[in-house]
Amino acid sequence: SSYLHKTTMKLRFLIILTSSLLFVGAGAVNQGSEDGNSKEGSKKVETCAACHGKEGNSLVGLWPSLAGQNAKYLFKQLRLFKSGERENASMAGFLDELSDEDLKDIAAFYASKKNTIGQTEKDKVGLGRKLYYAGNIQKGVPACSACHSPRGLGNGPAAYPLLSGQQPDYVKKALKDYRSGERSNEDPSKIMVAIAYKLDDSEIEALSSFVHGLH
């Protein structure tokens, strides 16, 4: 469709632009936010710990790990949850009384923590590695590493998320939500819709497992 064509062209432009910022962004991923205070944030995450772990490393597959995630991305997603633009029943109501300053502090707290790396399932290493580093030329799928960095550290300035160590069940659900169009609430997610639209279930399974062990 014309929509997908335009989105794909936009994606190609952003990947070229992102590549020039990639290593700058990767170096800044775990430094926290200039505007957020991680110490203050530590006082505001008590209710978050039940799902995301005390220091942001989730123990439940469908709940994302937040430790080490870049603060700009986290702040952006927290605002989307609060506004209702990104719908999630589990998050509903938790952020209603929090200000932007609170959200920035929470983002800075999690960005300052170290993420835990998992393991890639052996039968998914080959396909996962190929897709992550080379994409799929035949399908027009770009390499994930172009935006999320070779080690999965993401890109801080562009607010592209860290994927290294992320829970595979969460990544799988996210990719399927992108593929169906259920998650399409701001520009980067619309780019992901155009990518995930071309991925089949086996490719999503392989990528989800691969990033869990990527470091």
Side-chain angles (χ1 to χ4, degrees):
S1 69
S2 60
Y3 169 77
L4 283 176
H5 175 71
K6 290 177 181 177
T7 306
T8 301
M9 294 301 294
K10 183 178 181 182
L11 168 64
R12 289 173 179 168
F13 169 76
L14 286 176
I15 286 175
I16 293 170
L17 179 63
T18 298
S19 296
S20 66
L21 295 172
L22 189 57
F23 294 105
V24 175
V29 165
N30 295 321
Q31 300 305 311
S33 168
E34 292 179 346
D35 300 321
N37 185 310
S38 60
K39 185 175 181 180
E40 289 300 314
S42 68
K43 305 171 186 177
K44 303 173 183 180
V45 296
E46 185 175 349
T47 57
C48 309
C51 294
H52 299 288
K54 186 177 180 181
E55 295 197 335
N57 286 295
S58 169
L59 299 177
V60 179
L62 281 174
W63 294 334
S65 290
L66 305 180
Q69 189 58 267
N70 81 67
K72 187 174 180 180
Y73 172 79
L74 281 176
F75 174 61
K76 188 175 186 179
Q77 298 309 307
L78 288 170
R79 291 194 76 192
L80 288 171
F81 282 129
K82 182 181 176 181
S83 71
E85 291 179 66
R86 181 176 172 187
E87 297 181 13
N88 185 296
S90 300
M91 290 292 295
F94 282 108
L95 307 175
D96 290 351
E97 304 303 318
L98 299 182
S99 65
D100 275 0
E101 182 179 355
D102 293 328
L103 300 184
K104 288 178 182 179
D105 290 345
I106 290 171
F109 169 77
Y110 285 122
S112 71
K113 299 303 176 182
K114 184 174 178 58
N115 61 318
T116 298
I117 309 302
Q119 288 187 326
T120 302
E121 297 174 71
K122 290 182 179 179
D123 63 334
K124 295 181 174 65
V125 171
L127 180 56
R129 182 188 299 277
K130 178 183 176 182
L131 289 167
Y132 191 85
Y133 291 113
N136 185 325
I137 296 175
Q138 287 74 26
K139 287 186 172 184
V141 175
C144 307
S145 57
C147 291
H148 296 283
S149 97
R151 293 173 54 203
L153 300 178
N155 185 312
Y160 294 162
L162 170 144
L163 297 180
S164 172
Q166 189 55 269
Q167 291 285 1
D169 288 344
Y170 171 75
V171 176
K172 187 191 311 179
K173 182 180 186 305
L175 288 172
K176 288 184 176 181
D177 285 348
Y178 284 131
R179 186 174 66 181
S180 70
E182 182 176 340
R183 181 173 172 180
S184 179
N185 41 45
E186 30 88 30
D187 285 345
S189 70
K190 290 175 182 177
I191 294 170
M192 285 301 304
V193 167
I195 295 172
Y197 176 78
K198 302 172 184 177
L199 298 174
D200 61 34
D201 284 352
S202 64
E203 291 170 325
I204 286 177
E205 290 271 355
L207 275 173
S208 301
S209 181
F210 184 74
V211 298
H212 186 51
L214 179 63
H215 60 282

